[in-house]
Amino acid sequence: MGNTINGGEFESVIQADTVNLVNPRRHVRPWGLPPRSLFVGRTDLLREVMAAEGVVLLAGLGGIGKTALAVEAAHRMADRFPGGVLFVDLHGYDNARLSPEQALDALLAALGQEHPLTGFAAKQQRYRSLLAALPGPALIIPDNAATPDQVSALLPGDPRHLVLATSRHLLTDRVLTPRHLPVDVLPESVALLTELAGPSEHHSALADLCGHLPLALRIAAALLTERSPAELIADLTDAQERLTELDYGPDLAIRAAFDLSYRHLSAPEARLFALLGQNPGPDIGLPAAAALADCPERETARLLRLLARAHLVVIEQKRYRMHDLVRLYAAELPSDRAAFHRLLEHFKAYMLDTFRSGDHRSQAVIRWQDQEERNLLAVARSAAQEARYSDALLMLSAVHDVLLRHRRLTELVTISELAVETACRLDDPRFTSEAHYRLGFALAENGQCAEAEAALHRSLALDRERANQEHQVSVLVALSAVQLRLGRTESGRLHLREALRLGPTAVNDGTVVALVNASQLAVDTDPGLARQLCREACRVTAGRGDQAERMALRGLGRILLKLREFTAAVAPLQASVALSRELGEAYQEGVTVELLGRAFAELGDDTSALDCVRQAEALLRESDPDRAGTLRSLIAAVEGAAQGATGTR
């Protein structure tokens, strides 16, 4: 007799002709995936997730959209996982946190395990056995993990399966070595707001106020059912109230989302996090952070790395910054109120030390100023609010130097006006005179000569009241340059001669600029005075090796070219070229090399002249393409003429 059994595999068989059974344990595809929500953007990151294998961790700030991304990716690639999808919310950051064993219990139940098992090891072995028995690969999503063990307990032994975990932390241990995929703010923020709330011209500004954080954007869209976009923008513009406004109940609140991350920090991490909220600037370097925290740099760096792992701090090129909303949250936390004063003293000490040592014009200090510009301005504003006006002016002087160096003249005028306002509060004629002088200089550089003349007259009057002869020289030179530009030649020449009669010019970049400008303006009416001014500029900058010396040397060379003293012009122009090269100023080098070429051409040295023009064209190609194009035409014409002359011979 033949025996046929349909319906499964069994250990005990009853002798019979034909037995047909329905096996209640036949595999049922587990499907624990939550429904997908509205999803916009992140095309490249989605593609990367869907192409991944093994173990992947989506890590990022709370509210950044990690779970939404994981769920969207799972829905899109569900066909790749005939073994099913297992999803478990580990509640890593709230009071309902699952232990690794509790997470195993949840997934064992999803896989059909009916009888309870005792012991973690037994549960883990059964879990892996059930996964290995699945007819195809499965997708396992441990969502919202806080520690590595929450995820490592759920790793399958079968390489067919994909684990896609999410966390606010970077997670790694001896067992868990995932591929980390960082989830950042949403570039398509306006598109998300449009999908959620309909089109509006205000969405770009609203997205900026939300810091492009998906949770904040969804809250804003919900709030738009109650308020107009303009009203909501007005409410969110108040930084001190922004987190309070971004609240639409327990599940849609920015402050509540960040609370979960903050509660997970150790005491030292939490202290530094709160102190970083006292930094008024957009980012911070390690020395400044250490001053803020009153901790050694090594310990501060370690804590900053831990905050970065929690995605509460972002590290970029050895600088540390916070997301805008995170910074507002940190600023609300109780912390050491003396922290800002330590930060201010740190910047102040650095600047004063470099002045005392004479290093304040070094390339290292210039790089520091460029790097700290926005922080210095923020610290200056905060210092002024606390009536530390002289410290605020010191910070603003560094910002002034940066803006002048980079020719950001409109900003230079604004900062100079702020300095005048701050100096007037200090009620000290020395500071007020200097502030008016810097404002006058900034206005002149920006082409506002009438306003510049008024500011410089105010500075000069204060100096004469105090008989401050040294500062008068700088003001007189700047004033003369403005008056010459306004066509008041006689007044300008009188002020120049008064400046030269009073004594040596202060070694001041602004004064050097004014001397050179005045010399160029005076050369047609008083060549001797123009030459004297440039030689004075070269004298006071000699040996500095900085931009001011480079400027003075080129100014002298330019004056000598105008006076047709071509042989004398070569040396200062060559020295200016060498300084530009040393300072890494390609544009300035190109401009000066072109002038040097003119000198050689006038001297009949056509080979050297053409070589200079070629160098100038190469140096100006990126920074001044129009000028470079003119020089290329000149080179072609000269070379064509030379070839024609050769052919004729």
Side-chain angles (χ1 to χ4, degrees):
M1 178 185 294
N3 297 308
T4 303
I5 302 177
N6 299 315
E9 296 179 0
F10 304 92
E11 296 177 359
S12 300
V13 178
I14 301 172
Q15 184 70 37
D17 182 16
T18 301
V19 180
N20 290 299
L21 299 172
V22 176
N23 181 7
R25 296 185 182 180
R26 176 177 290 178
H27 168 69
V28 177
R29 184 188 189 203
W31 187 261
L33 191 60
R36 68 207 307 181
S37 59
L38 175 67
F39 191 88
V40 171
R42 300 205 191 277
T43 305
D44 292 341
L45 188 53
L46 260 175
R47 188 181 300 116
E48 202 168 356
V49 171
M50 294 171 65
E53 297 178 350
V55 183
V56 176
L57 177 68
L58 299 177
L61 177 65
I64 206 76
K66 303 177 292 296
T67 300
L69 175 62
V71 170
E72 179 68 20
H75 277 284
R76 293 194 187 193
M77 59 181 176
D79 291 346
R80 281 178 44 196
F81 299 100
V85 177
L86 298 168
F87 182 98
V88 57
D89 185 350
L90 298 169
H91 293 278
Y93 295 88
D94 60 43
N95 295 329
R97 177 177 176 175
L98 298 187
S99 69
E101 190 167 349
Q102 288 172 321
L104 273 175
D105 288 339
L107 294 188
L108 281 168
L111 288 165
Q113 176 66 32
E114 297 177 355
H115 305 296
L117 300 172
T118 303
F120 179 77
K123 292 177 181 180
Q124 193 170 51
Q125 184 175 2
R126 182 60 176 161
Y127 166 72
R128 289 174 177 167
S129 298
L130 289 172
L131 288 175
L134 291 175
L139 173 61
I140 304 155
I141 305 178
D143 183 50
N144 203 16
T147 56
D149 62 330
Q150 283 188 298
V151 178
S152 57
L154 308 181
L155 296 180
D158 189 337
R160 295 178 302 163
H161 308 308
L162 172 64
V163 176
L164 179 58
T166 74
S167 179
R168 300 182 182 202
H169 279 75
L170 297 176
L171 302 179
T172 301
D173 64 11
R174 287 180 296 177
V175 177
L176 180 66
T177 55
R179 178 185 177 193
H180 288 103
L181 292 180
V183 184
D184 207 341
V185 294
L186 184 66
E188 301 87 357
S189 297
V190 172
L192 178 60
L193 281 173
T194 302
E195 289 292 328
L196 291 168
S200 170
E201 63 182 358
H202 298 285
H203 282 344
S204 179
L206 196 54
D208 288 341
L209 288 167
C210 291
H212 305 273
L213 187 72
L215 176 59
L217 294 165
R218 291 180 182 275
I219 295 169
L223 294 171
L224 286 173
T225 62
E226 308 168 342
R227 286 174 257 182
S228 71
E231 289 172 332
L232 184 55
I233 286 171
D235 290 338
L236 295 181
T237 298
D238 183 349
Q240 293 185 337
E241 295 296 326
R242 192 174 305 163
L243 296 184
T244 300
E245 293 292 342
L246 286 171
D247 188 326
Y248 200 77
D251 294 330
L252 283 176
I254 291 297
R255 191 178 280 114
F258 291 166
D259 280 342
L260 297 177
S261 292
Y262 179 67
R263 289 204 299 262
H264 198 76
L265 299 177
S266 68
E269 292 165 16
R271 176 182 178 272
L272 179 58
F273 177 69
L275 289 173
L276 290 172
Q278 301 301 311
N279 173 33
D283 66 1
I284 196 166
L286 179 57
L292 191 73
D294 197 21
C295 279
E297 286 191 15
R298 183 180 291 275
E299 174 65 9
T300 304
R302 186 186 70 81
L303 292 172
L304 285 166
R305 286 193 294 270
L306 292 172
L307 291 174
R309 289 179 201 170
H311 292 92
L312 294 172
V313 163
V314 178
I315 304 176
E316 292 176 345
Q317 298 179 337
K318 298 183 179 180
R319 306 284 299 178
Y320 305 88
R321 65 172 178 83
M322 290 173 156
H323 183 277
D324 289 347
L325 297 180
V326 174
R327 188 166 70 247
L328 292 176
Y329 176 84
E332 293 180 346
L333 297 170
S335 64
D336 179 3
R337 304 309 298 177
F340 170 72
H341 295 283
R342 291 195 296 268
L343 180 65
L344 176 59
E345 290 300 326
H346 164 76
F347 283 127
K348 180 179 175 182
Y350 179 87
M351 294 177 67
L352 293 178
D353 286 348
T354 57
F355 270 107
R356 292 188 192 104
S357 65
D359 293 336
H360 57 288
R361 292 187 177 87
S362 69
Q363 289 303 298
V365 173
I366 287 173
R367 285 193 297 271
W368 179 84
Q369 287 179 338
D370 287 344
Q371 195 172 54
E372 297 288 0
E373 174 206 338
R374 293 187 298 165
N375 295 304
L376 289 166
L377 177 56
V379 168
R381 292 184 187 277
S382 295
Q385 289 172 0
E386 299 200 10
R388 295 188 60 167
Y389 300 121
S390 60
D391 293 335
L393 289 170
L394 180 62
M395 305 298 120
L396 289 174
S397 70
V399 178
H400 182 284
D401 292 345
V402 173
L403 298 176
L404 175 60
R405 188 161 53 244
H406 294 288
R407 309 299 295 167
R408 289 157 52 191
L409 300 179
T410 302
E411 293 173 77
L412 182 66
V413 170
T414 301
I415 292 303
S416 300
E417 290 171 339
L418 177 60
V420 168
E421 180 185 334
T422 305
C424 289
R425 290 180 181 177
L426 185 59
D427 194 26
D428 185 323
R430 294 173 303 166
F431 291 102
T432 310
S433 172
E434 175 66 16
H436 279 298
Y437 163 66
R438 284 177 172 259
L439 174 59
F441 180 80
L443 289 164
E445 288 296 295
N446 202 39
Q448 298 170 255
C449 291
E451 296 91 335
E453 185 179 26
L456 291 168
H457 271 304
R458 287 193 291 271
S459 178
L460 185 61
L462 288 166
D463 285 341
R464 283 177 170 159
E465 285 177 13
R466 296 174 47 251
N468 186 347
Q469 184 169 306
E470 183 177 349
H471 196 256
Q472 279 186 65
V473 173
S474 299
V475 178
L476 285 165
V477 170
L479 182 58
S480 68
V482 168
Q483 290 172 329
L484 289 169
R485 196 177 298 175
L486 288 169
R488 297 176 189 163
T489 306
E490 192 56 37
S491 295
R493 289 168 64 186
L494 285 173
H495 282 128
L496 277 175
R497 294 194 181 283
E498 182 183 356
L500 294 173
R501 186 175 64 253
L502 281 173
T505 306
V507 183
N508 171 309
D509 289 3
T511 304
V512 173
V513 173
L515 280 169
V516 172
N517 288 344
S519 70
Q520 307 301 317
L521 293 164
V523 66
D524 293 328
T525 58
D526 196 335
L529 177 60
R531 185 189 290 105
Q532 184 180 1
L533 291 172
C534 273
R535 293 199 185 283
E536 178 68 6
C538 290
R539 184 189 67 77
V540 299
T541 59
R544 281 171 44 168
D546 61 3
Q547 292 171 320
E549 185 178 9
R550 181 263 301 156
M551 189 188 317
L553 288 165
R554 186 171 72 194
L556 177 58
R558 196 190 293 271
I559 287 293
L560 293 172
L561 280 177
K562 284 187 176 182
L563 297 177
R564 303 191 64 77
E565 298 178 22
F566 304 119
T567 302
V570 169
L573 289 173
Q574 286 178 327
S576 183
V577 167
L579 268 179
S580 296
R581 191 170 299 150
E582 185 178 323
L583 295 169
E585 299 176 325
Y587 173 77
Q588 302 295 347
E589 183 182 351
V591 171
T592 313
V593 166
E594 185 184 354
L595 291 173
L596 184 59
R598 290 185 198 173
F600 282 131
E602 293 289 349
L603 291 170
D605 188 347
D606 294 339
T607 301
S608 296
L610 185 58
D611 184 52
C612 285
V613 175
R614 288 194 184 106
Q615 288 181 51
E617 187 277 328
L619 289 162
L620 297 174
R621 200 174 294 159
E622 291 186 9
S623 56
D624 192 346
D626 292 340
R627 185 61 190 155
T630 302
L631 293 175
R632 279 194 296 276
S633 300
L634 176 60
I635 292 167
V638 172
E639 289 177 340
Q643 289 174 357
T646 303
T648 302
R649 288 197 296 271

